Amino acid sequence: MLITFEGIDFCGKTTQIKLLSEYLIRKKKKVITIREPGGTEIAETLRQILLEPKNKMNSFTELFLFEAARSDLVEKVIKPALTEGSIVLCDRFWDSTIAYQVFGRKLPEDFVNQCNFYSSQGIKPDITFLIDISLETMLRRSKSLKIDRFENEEAEFIKNVIEGFRTIAKLNQSRFVILDGDEPIEEIHKRIVEVLSNKFGL
């Protein structure tokens, strides 16, 4: 089972994945937690390149690096884990690529969708949690933290990405669950557990 978490930076994805992982482990479930880009030696190297503020690149270079990282992660980690029956918790997957590269960078949607399909070998999440926050909330949370290349983007870019996530969720309502990222951490966690329990018996 593949469970993905989406949203802009500082929305609380990492915290909720940690809480869910701990919950599932207590339930005696076999769980692995991964992030995109990352999760393999190659993908982590590509992550450093992508997030380093000094690295200037065009939108297609950026896209291909993300897809290369995903391809390696899917082949070496996600596919084997799903085959052996593990629950995979992934911090971002190809919905982020659509939100950032299509809505943010304005790359052709059909082309990006094709890249996503092949890099993921057609694997789709069973369920996706979108933790939705506003630009204002992101800026407030980011003030005292280190900023990477994407967090340093102009406000208009981030607004487009936020709208992108919301649009993707509306178009995929059977898979997406939208969560209010301004809610208390424990309340968001309870909602996630409730949804997984009702829908999958977890």
Side-chain angles (χ1 to χ4, degrees):
M1 181 180 188
L2 176 59
I3 303 172
T4 58
F5 285 75
E6 298 286 3
I8 60 171
D9 293 301
F10 305 106
C11 70
K13 293 185 283 62
T14 304
T15 297
Q16 292 303 326
I17 289 172
K18 181 176 183 293
L19 290 173
L20 180 57
S21 175
E22 292 169 351
Y23 166 81
L24 292 172
I25 290 171
R26 289 196 301 271
K27 299 272 286 186
K28 309 301 183 184
K29 305 294 184 182
K30 192 172 183 180
V31 182
I32 69 165
T33 300
I34 53 177
R35 65 179 181 179
E36 274 213 353
T40 69
E41 185 176 350
I42 290 173
E44 289 292 339
T45 299
L46 293 173
R47 180 185 182 88
Q48 293 177 16
I49 295 170
L50 281 160
L51 299 187
E52 173 54 54
K54 70 180 182 182
N55 288 337
K56 307 302 180 185
M57 64 187 73
N58 68 42
S59 298
F60 282 101
T61 299
E62 181 180 270
L63 171 67
F64 296 145
L65 289 175
F66 274 117
E67 301 293 2
R70 177 174 302 124
S71 178
D72 202 57
L73 178 65
V74 167
E75 179 65 24
K76 295 177 180 175
V77 180
I78 295 179
K79 275 185 66 179
L82 295 177
T83 298
E84 66 182 24
S86 295
I87 297 173
V88 179
L89 308 181
C90 192
D91 187 341
R92 299 195 183 284
F93 201 49
W94 42 253
D95 290 305
S96 275
T97 309
I98 298 172
Y100 280 86
Q101 274 64 57
V102 175
F103 286 86
R105 302 295 190 209
K106 306 303 181 184
L107 293 182
E109 184 173 3
D110 288 345
F111 178 72
V112 174
N113 284 334
Q114 281 191 317
C115 291
N116 285 341
F117 177 81
Y118 288 109
S119 67
S120 65
Q121 300 186 38
I123 291 175
K124 294 182 178 180
D126 294 283
I127 189 168
T128 299
F129 292 100
L130 171 61
I131 304 180
D132 187 35
I133 61 171
S134 66
L135 173 64
E136 291 71 26
T137 297
M138 175 190 165
L139 293 175
R140 185 177 71 250
R141 293 178 180 180
S142 69
K143 280 183 179 179
S144 62
L145 299 173
K146 181 180 177 182
I147 301 298
D148 66 31
R149 197 169 64 85
F150 285 90
E151 293 155 1
N152 199 36
E153 290 285 354
E154 293 182 0
E156 190 62 29
F157 173 84
I158 301 298
K159 287 180 181 178
N160 289 337
V161 172
I162 292 171
E163 189 55 39
F165 275 123
R166 292 170 178 171
T167 300
I168 295 165
K170 289 176 184 176
L171 293 173
N172 297 274
Q173 294 184 32
S174 63
R175 174 166 63 87
F176 266 83
V177 176
I178 302 176
L179 304 165
D180 183 354
D182 287 318
E183 290 288 320
I185 290 172
E186 281 302 325
E187 289 301 313
I188 298 173
H189 173 63
K190 285 180 183 178
R191 174 63 177 148
I192 291 170
V193 169
E194 180 183 74
V195 169
L196 292 175
S197 176
N198 292 339
K199 194 164 186 177
F200 301 104
L202 294 178

